Amino acid sequence: MSLKKIIPAVRTNNITYAVRDIVVLANEVAKSGKEMLYLNIGDPNIYDFKPPEHLVKSTYDAMMKNFNGYAPSSGIKEAVSAIEREADRKGITNVHDVFVTTGASEAIDVCLTALVNDGENVLTPTPGYPLYTAIASKLQMMENPYYLDEENGSSEPRSAGTGWLPDIDDIKSKINKKTKAIILINPNNPTGSLYTTENLQAIIDLALEHNLVIFADEIYDKLLFDGKKHVSIASMNKDVSCITFGGLSKNYMVPGFRIGWGIVSGRKEILSDYMEAINKILRARLSANHPEQYGIKISLEGDQSHLTEANKKLTSRRNMTVEMLNSIPGISCVKPEGAFYAFPQLHGINSDAHFVSELIKETGVVVVPGSGFGQKPGTQHFRVVFLPNEQILEKAYKAIGDFYVKYLEKYPEKVEA
Ligand SMILES: Cc1ncc(COP(=O)(O)O)c(C=O)c1O
């Protein structure tokens, strides 16, 4: 019998997902008995957040009523109508299609798959959520990263202001004949930044000029601080082709339910073939999770008090994050305005991946290296999740500060010349 290896498809070669990849190392370290402080998981349920009870109950009731078969491919009527009303509340008026998916992840995958041929490209925010680059690899799409600028947006000193807004000139310079779409994540993972309306308008102008589809990932649109209001890009122009992604995972704290959606808006005559292509894929994969769809209407239209509580907790944890990290010499942190992530810069070293792996081994503090999200060449960052409570965060940030000093001494070859 010949022992020939099964060779995986070349399209998987570049797929990485730093958020989960780092867990392998963290699990190894945890086995040694070290106390671990997890600042790496974007799942509120691991920490002291819970979904609204009515959401869980409606899903349980649906299961007990035996709504356990396949759902319609675009989702159950009640949920689709509730998402249409949500689109209306977000100011998105020219809606032509709404579909429920297995997490926003599936909506993103389906919409990219239905749009992009190999060799074509999509403008992807960098830093940004690694699922987009993983799907790009799968589709053999060309990478076309546009950079978010850490300094852009900070009218005040960096520690107090915002940053990480897209560099519109960089976007302009990267649009070519094979560019099909532009992705924006608002609020952003991993930076927590919120786009300004000027920024959104500039992106709309470019999309209209070059006939691009805008993929607006708004999965964190209700997790906002300092009284900030979220503006959906699709609400700003009726003609621009836009798919807005949302879901229950973050705002309603049930990432395990795997419920997301897409909202298609713009000019019907321009979008019709593309919408049919999306629907062909949706039909072929049968349906999204069925009983969980009964949680959509009640979530979007029921009591929202869990959000007030969550945003209060997150504001205090965000403040602590920014203050403590900015007080560490060699680290600077732009203040996040939404979601639950910060993306501090590491100055004076040349490998965030090495820094983070040593940090985990030495201190048990688990964060994700910036290289996993993409970043401007020559810069080093790491992502923290500030969902953990203040005691854990305080301990973790103290440990990072102490470790940073030791790291510079221990690894002179990793210190930037
Ligand atoms: C920006 C962004 N989009 C999409 C997702 C995935 O969402 P879902 O759980 O609905 O698939 C995440 C999850 O972390 C995310 O950060």
Side-chain angles (χ1 to χ4, degrees):
M1 192 177 64
S2 81
L3 281 175
K4 251 181 144 181
K5 277 195 142 186
I6 306 291
I7 311 292
V10 177
R11 69 172 70 88
T12 63
N13 286 0
N14 294 325
I15 296 179
T16 54
Y17 191 80
V19 179
R20 293 263 162 142
D21 294 348
I22 208 74
V23 174
V24 179
L25 173 64
N27 287 346
E28 278 304 305
V29 176
K31 269 191 219 155
S32 71
K34 192 180 255 315
E35 186 199 3
M36 305 301 288
L37 298 171
Y38 294 101
L39 276 63
N40 61 316
I41 313 164
D43 179 349
N45 297 281
I46 310 252
Y47 309 96
D48 58 347
F49 296 85
K50 263 198 190 155
E53 245 171 55
H54 54 237
L55 157 57
V56 179
K57 187 171 178 310
S58 58
T59 304
Y60 172 81
D61 289 346
M63 286 176 175
M64 293 310 284
K65 286 181 194 154
N66 198 25
F67 295 148
N68 297 314
Y70 292 122
S73 293
S74 288
I76 60 167
K77 234 189 178 144
E78 169 190 305
V80 170
S81 306
I83 298 163
E84 280 166 357
R85 290 191 292 276
E86 175 76 354
D88 193 52
R89 281 191 292 276
K90 280 160 79 71
I92 309 174
T93 48
N94 220 4
V95 174
H96 305 297
D97 200 8
V98 163
F99 43 87
V100 180
T101 49
T102 306
S105 303
E106 192 196 23
I108 294 163
D109 194 346
V110 167
C111 293
L112 281 169
T113 304
L115 185 70
V116 189
N117 294 304
D118 33 319
E120 294 178 337
N121 68 77
V122 164
L123 286 153
T124 313
T126 306
Y129 182 54
L131 174 68
Y132 290 98
T133 36
I135 296 171
S137 293
K138 189 179 84 173
L139 296 176
Q140 302 193 293
M141 208 168 92
M142 302 299 285
E143 293 272 0
N144 196 356
Y146 70 90
Y147 290 110
L148 304 182
D149 183 353
E150 196 158 2
E151 307 291 334
N152 186 0
S154 42
S155 49
E156 298 168 72
R158 206 191 299 178
S159 60
T162 61
W164 289 120
L165 291 177
D167 178 344
I168 301 295
D169 288 332
D170 184 45
I171 297 177
K172 271 188 200 158
S173 74
K174 290 185 171 154
I175 298 175
N176 58 46
K177 283 197 186 109
K178 300 217 162 187
T179 308
K180 299 288 288 279
I182 178 162
I183 294 160
L184 54 107
I185 305 172
N186 183 28
N188 180 270
N189 175 7
T191 66
S193 60
L194 206 55
Y195 291 44
T196 63
T197 46
E198 290 77 25
N199 252 233
L200 298 176
Q201 188 56 54
I203 291 171
I204 290 171
D205 293 344
L206 287 175
L208 288 171
E209 185 185 340
H210 298 277
N211 201 27
L212 308 179
V213 179
I214 297 175
F215 287 150
D217 185 333
E218 299 183 354
I219 189 103
Y220 299 99
D221 65 351
K222 296 182 183 180
L223 300 176
L224 303 171
F225 318 130
D226 311 324
K228 290 270 172 340
K229 294 263 174 294
H230 183 266
V231 178
S232 277
I233 190 165
S235 73
M236 292 175 61
N237 189 296
K238 279 175 122 165
D239 293 330
V240 75
S241 303
C242 196
I243 307 191
T244 304
F245 301 115
L248 298 185
S249 292
K250 312 290 177 172
N251 291 337
Y252 295 94
M253 306 181 176
V254 283
F257 276 27
R258 312 303 304 125
I259 288 290
W261 52 78
I263 301 165
V264 186
S265 60
R267 293 177 63 160
K268 196 172 182 180
E269 64 276 25
I270 290 180
L271 286 162
S272 56
D273 289 352
Y274 179 39
M275 285 191 292
E276 177 50 20
I278 291 171
N279 278 284
K280 274 197 243 176
I281 302 177
L282 292 174
R283 292 193 289 270
R285 70 53 156 135
L286 300 173
S287 78
N289 311 335
H290 187 185
E292 289 83 351
Q293 294 190 38
Y294 288 89
I296 295 175
K297 179 174 182 289
I298 183 98
S299 292
L300 296 177
E301 295 175 357
D303 179 49
Q304 307 288 310
S305 55
H306 77 286
L307 281 171
T308 317
E309 206 185 302
N311 284 333
K312 198 168 149 214
K313 275 199 229 174
L314 288 173
T315 302
S316 145
R317 294 171 193 185
R318 185 274 317 258
N319 291 346
M320 174 179 244
T321 298
V322 172
E323 269 162 39
M324 286 195 74
L325 289 175
N326 276 313
S327 73
I328 301 171
I331 295 182
S332 63
C333 182
V334 170
K335 193 175 187 175
E337 300 180 294
F340 34 65
Y341 308 105
F343 200 59
Q345 183 167 175
L346 286 161
H347 301 270
I349 64 160
N350 61 23
S351 168
D352 51 35
H354 184 262
F355 178 87
V356 165
S357 60
E358 293 309 306
L359 176 78
I360 295 171
K361 286 188 238 167
E362 178 84 20
T363 65
V365 175
V366 189
V367 294
V368 185
S371 42
F373 302 91
Q375 55 196 350
K376 269 194 184 147
T379 64
Q380 315 294 326
H381 297 83
F382 60 98
R383 188 192 74 170
V384 299
V385 169
F386 52 81
L387 286 165
N389 67 34
E390 281 79 354
Q391 286 93 310
I392 297 174
L393 290 179
E394 187 174 7
K395 214 167 171 183
Y397 298 145
K398 271 200 185 126
I400 291 173
D402 294 345
F403 174 77
Y404 186 80
V405 177
K406 282 194 214 150
Y407 182 84
L408 296 183
E409 281 165 14
K410 193 168 169 193
Y411 297 103
E413 76 283 7
K414 299 286 177 194
V415 174
E416 270 213 323

